[in-house]
Amino acid sequence: MAPNTTHGEIRLRRLVVRSVLALALAPVACAPATRPSAGPSPAPGDSVERPAPRAIPVPQSFRDAVQRGTRTATGQPGPRYWQQRVRYEIRAELEPHTAALRGHERIVYVNHAPGPLPAVLFNLYQNLFSSHYLTAQNPLNTGGLALERVAVGGRALSAIPQAAMEAAKSGTPLPTGYGVDGTMGVVVLPQPVASGDSVTFEIDWHFKVPPAGAPRTGWEDALGGRVFQVAQWYPQVATYDDVAGPDVTPYTGNSEFYLEYGDFDVDLTLPAGWIVGATGTLRNADEVLPPETRRRLDLALSGDTVVHVLTSADLGSRATLRGADGRTTWRFSARDVRDFAFATSDRYLWDATRATIPQDGGTSRTVAVHSLYRRGAPGWGLSARYGQHAVGFLSRLLIPYIYPQVTVSEGPEYGMEYPQLVFIGRPSSSRELEAVIAHEVGHEWFPMMVGPDESAFAWMDEGINTYDEARATADYFPGSDPWEEPRAAYLGIARSKAEVPMMHPIDDVKEPASGIAAYFKPGTVLRSLNAVVGDSVYRLAMRTYSRDWLLKHPYPWDFFDTFERVSGRDLDWFIEPWWFRTATLDQAVGAVTQAPGGVTVTVRDLGDAPAPAIVVATLADGTTARATIPGERFAVDRRRTVSVTIPATARAVRVEIDPEQLFPDTNRRNNVWTAPNP
């Protein structure tokens, strides 16, 4: 893998093409500023003063975007918000026996930025599997992606020599042409593309799909057949946004992606008998599927039961129609998506059903749910049901799913998401399979429908989705505790002092700290945020954030500001220590005093990450009573001890802080008080 890259607060690394892009195209990240914050003086009587709460750090580049009017300080896109747009037309052919994939694409790139662009950056993800990153002996070294032809406006360009690419690091301008640096490429245009104008690229390329073991893509031979899960497979325009300018973060296989939205028309040619699931809608079912298969598919999409569209008896020459040359071309279209991927096998069974999606105004619509898997994959007979539940439940929890279908595909990847398509492996239990499907389908909202920079802020998709996955799993398996795993994982690393802040770029962090910061801690802390603002406010804030940033590029400060706007509260006291630092929570029962008509409980705050204190008293008559101390009493009032009196009609025999474990307390041994025996 490539060495770790440097980072600023917006996670930018300038490529060798910086000399070309130095024409005031990209705002330069500066040291983060903070919001003004002035808490009250410490309350009298506290033996130890709590530090004043810190404001959320805000990078200068984001503040500049607010000044320019592309962002706001309330979490909404600004009146001058803009983003780029791309249209892809791709024709590709996969030879399953050799894993060779050859393609041609035509890209129309529309520049909505306020200034001209002299060059356009590309992601060339398959170069991760080349000698630039891997040794020649590594089985994942396929040679990377070979560019055969690059043209702009019909004019073929020459490759920029590597010597010129190196010289650009010292400020020498690059000539017109195309150059490659690892997983990044650059096309220096014959003339800049003006604001509001477009440029058309044509690219021919080929590569070999790597075997299983490659991150997020690959093929494997198992369960009696070969399966391909193909992603990061075509030259892709890199994102250019209003805050950071061009995204020049190289792909190292660790962190994920930041992609532009656009439209895709893709033709995939394979041998007859190979079934394809992909991003988008199949446009030529009558050309690739036999009449009986189409009849079953129509039946599946007309009801809520699962229909076996393809069974073991249908595999082989009966699975698809055969073209004149023994090959079949599948044609897919997708609108308003940020990527395209596909899965294929000649051993795929095919189940299908539909999910009912609530719409605004009380109406509903249906979404097709497909499941592709090989015979013998454990638990996969329920996979269509799991996908159906996930897309329906999350449409009710968040905003309605906007796409026409979702496909769950089995193969070498344990879990990975793409628009309208997820890659799933073979977990050992049905419950784990449901959780993985719920997690990956949840990514259809974050980052597919709401598109942040995953490589810079992994928690904005993985953390939010860990929370949503748990909600979906708890709904599918009532009585389960899907919060236990993320909570235990986070607390384990928090107690070891080995964690990193959630806002830290994950490319710079090794496991297990990276997984905790991306998945488990934010999933756990978002549950705590839900408890801070209340479930109804949390859900309204998430829906507001999702609607405001649908098919757009939010940054963390858009998320934070939305929650403050919707809740009507200053939440810096909670967000800053949990997101930007590794402060931990430790609340303890300090004293319990019986009094006529109630019990007074003193809570001690021993940690540096504040939270509300939910105090529950169990009474001698078997009933319980509770009270909540707002988190602001500790953080904003700078108190280390706060007392609360709980109305009670009987003597308290037990007191516990946060018995539901809504807040991740690092030391629960001091959370419980038990009355001494009389």
Side-chain angles (χ1 to χ4, degrees):
M1 295 297 174
N4 288 336
T5 54
T6 60
H7 65 276
E9 82 281 12
I10 291 294
R11 182 68 174 94
L12 288 178
R13 174 185 179 265
R14 295 297 171 204
L15 195 64
V16 295
V17 297
R18 69 179 66 184
S19 61
V20 183
L21 297 169
L23 305 176
L25 294 179
V28 179
C30 301
T34 58
R35 308 179 187 185
S37 178
S41 300
D46 285 341
S47 57
V48 179
E49 292 184 4
R50 185 184 186 93
R54 303 178 187 178
I56 296 174
V58 182
Q60 188 60 47
S61 51
F62 188 86
R63 289 175 174 268
D64 290 343
V66 173
Q67 283 291 113
R68 291 191 297 268
T70 61
R71 306 273 159 163
T72 67
T74 56
Q76 300 149 301
R80 296 181 179 177
Y81 178 82
W82 57 265
Q83 68 186 50
Q84 309 293 60
R85 186 76 181 181
V86 193
R87 179 177 179 83
Y88 294 90
E89 296 175 4
I90 302 175
R91 299 193 306 273
E93 184 171 338
L94 174 64
E95 170 40 60
H97 179 68
T98 62
L101 191 152
R102 182 175 297 276
H104 166 83
E105 68 182 316
R106 181 177 183 271
I107 305 168
V108 178
Y109 179 63
V110 183
N111 178 25
H112 291 299
L117 295 176
V120 175
L121 299 184
F122 281 78
N123 294 308
L124 307 175
Y125 296 119
Q126 286 297 317
N127 283 342
L128 181 69
F129 311 112
S130 69
S131 58
H132 188 92
Y133 293 91
L134 305 169
T135 64
Q137 292 75 30
N138 192 312
L140 298 181
N141 186 348
T142 64
L145 185 142
L147 296 175
E148 301 172 5
R149 175 177 178 268
V150 177
V152 174
R155 169 188 168 185
L157 300 182
S158 300
I160 298 173
Q162 285 300 313
M165 296 288 287
E166 290 297 319
K169 298 177 182 179
S170 302
T172 303
L174 287 170
T176 298
Y178 68 93
V180 176
D181 182 20
T183 59
M184 297 294 298
V186 59
V187 176
V188 182
L189 302 173
Q191 60 183 25
V193 55
S195 177
D197 203 352
S198 65
V199 60
T200 300
F201 301 93
E202 293 181 35
I203 305 176
D204 297 328
W205 82 96
H206 68 270
F207 70 94
K208 293 188 68 173
V209 180
R216 304 184 179 90
T217 188
W219 61 267
E220 69 168 0
D221 292 324
L223 300 178
R226 177 166 290 192
V227 157
F228 287 81
Q229 291 176 324
V230 183
Q232 288 82 245
W233 59 285
Y234 58 94
Q236 179 190 76
V237 175
T239 298
Y240 183 97
D241 74 18
D242 64 302
V243 176
D247 177 33
V248 293
T249 307
Y251 178 55
T252 64
N254 185 19
S255 64
E256 294 182 284
F257 312 103
Y258 187 29
L259 310 176
E260 298 285 16
Y261 286 99
D263 302 327
F264 287 79
D265 288 299
V266 179
D267 293 356
L268 298 171
T269 300
L270 293 103
W274 282 72
I275 299 299
V276 180
T279 298
T281 301
L282 179 63
R283 293 183 286 128
N284 65 332
D286 58 335
E287 296 178 4
V288 298
L289 299 177
E292 176 59 19
T293 302
R294 299 200 304 272
R295 186 192 69 80
R296 294 175 190 169
L297 185 58
D298 290 341
L299 179 64
L301 303 184
S302 64
D304 299 329
T305 59
V306 176
V307 174
H308 302 304
V309 177
L310 278 181
T311 68
S312 297
D314 301 313
L315 300 183
S317 60
R318 299 174 56 185
T320 68
L321 299 177
R322 179 181 293 269
D325 59 352
R327 306 181 74 79
T328 302
T329 297
W330 299 65
R331 305 183 192 280
F332 294 91
S333 291
R335 300 291 175 260
D336 295 323
V337 296
R338 50 173 248 160
D339 202 357
F340 189 101
F342 67 96
T344 184
S345 176
D346 62 349
R347 307 307 299 170
Y348 264 157
L349 307 180
W350 183 356
D351 292 348
T353 185
R354 70 180 187 181
T356 300
I357 305 301
Q359 300 294 107
D360 294 338
T363 61
S364 64
R365 68 179 182 91
T366 59
V367 166
V369 179
H370 304 284
S371 175
L372 303 175
Y373 59 97
R374 287 166 292 186
R375 182 180 179 180
W380 271 81
L382 291 172
S383 57
R385 283 290 186 211
Y386 295 152
Q388 178 190 49
H389 172 264
V391 72
F393 175 82
L394 293 170
S395 290
R396 296 188 296 273
L397 181 70
L398 300 164
I399 61 173
Y401 184 65
I402 66 172
Y403 298 121
Q405 68 93 24
V406 65
T407 298
V408 180
S409 72
E410 174 264 329
E413 295 303 310
Y414 180 82
M416 186 58 201
E417 71 279 1
Y418 295 94
Q420 307 177 45
L421 172 71
V422 297
F423 296 167
I424 309 292
R426 297 180 292 280
S428 58
S429 69
S430 293
R431 181 164 293 194
E432 184 181 357
L433 178 61
E434 183 280 331
V436 178
I437 290 176
H439 183 91
E440 304 308 334
V441 170
H443 278 306
E444 296 302 321
W445 280 260
F446 310 101
M448 301 306 158
M449 289 162 52
V450 179
D453 183 351
E454 303 172 83
S455 62
F457 311 109
W459 68 267
M460 293 187 75
D461 74 303
E462 297 297 357
I464 291 175
N465 203 43
T466 297
Y467 172 88
D468 293 338
E469 170 205 334
R471 292 287 297 256
T473 296
D475 184 77
Y476 197 94
F477 295 108
S480 63
D481 182 12
W483 307 105
E484 180 180 2
E485 179 185 4
R487 181 176 59 240
Y490 159 64
L491 288 173
I493 199 167
R495 295 181 184 120
S496 72
K497 309 296 184 184
E499 66 165 318
V500 298
M502 292 193 293
M503 291 291 288
H504 198 92
I506 297 304
D507 258 350
D508 296 338
V509 185
K510 296 181 179 180
E511 290 289 2
S514 61
I516 303 299
Y519 293 79
F520 297 131
K521 181 178 180 181
T524 300
V525 172
L526 285 169
R527 188 185 186 215
S528 301
L529 179 59
N530 187 317
V532 168
V533 300
D535 190 64
S536 62
V537 173
Y538 181 93
R539 293 178 67 173
L540 178 59
M542 284 302 301
R543 289 169 178 167
T544 301
Y545 167 73
S546 300
R547 287 192 178 99
D548 285 349
W549 292 96
L550 181 64
L551 305 179
K552 296 182 178 70
H553 298 314
Y555 273 72
W557 300 272
D558 300 307
F559 179 88
F560 302 145
D561 290 338
T562 298
F563 265 80
E564 293 194 329
R565 170 167 53 96
V566 173
S567 67
R569 297 169 62 178
D570 182 347
L571 296 171
D572 286 26
W573 64 269
F574 182 81
I575 293 170
E576 189 277 331
W578 287 103
W579 263 264
F580 290 84
R581 290 188 282 137
T582 57
T584 56
L585 173 69
D586 182 11
Q587 294 177 338
V589 178
V592 177
T593 305
Q594 304 286 350
V599 55
T600 299
V601 180
T602 299
V603 175
R604 300 175 62 206
D605 186 4
L606 307 177
D608 292 320
I614 302 172
V615 184
V616 179
T618 302
L619 308 180
D621 60 7
T623 62
T624 60
R626 66 171 56 207
T628 298
I629 302 172
E632 290 93 334
R633 292 292 308 279
F634 299 104
V636 180
D637 294 350
R638 300 177 62 183
R639 289 179 176 268
R640 285 293 184 183
T641 61
V642 178
S643 297
V644 62
T645 298
I646 306 173
T649 58
R651 180 175 61 89
V653 297
R654 189 176 189 274
V655 171
E656 183 174 1
I657 300 173
D658 188 21
E660 293 89 2
Q661 299 191 52
L662 299 174
F663 300 94
D665 194 311
T666 56
N667 178 19
R668 292 198 59 83
R669 292 188 301 272
N670 58 17
N671 285 39
V672 177
W673 170 91
T674 304
N677 293 328

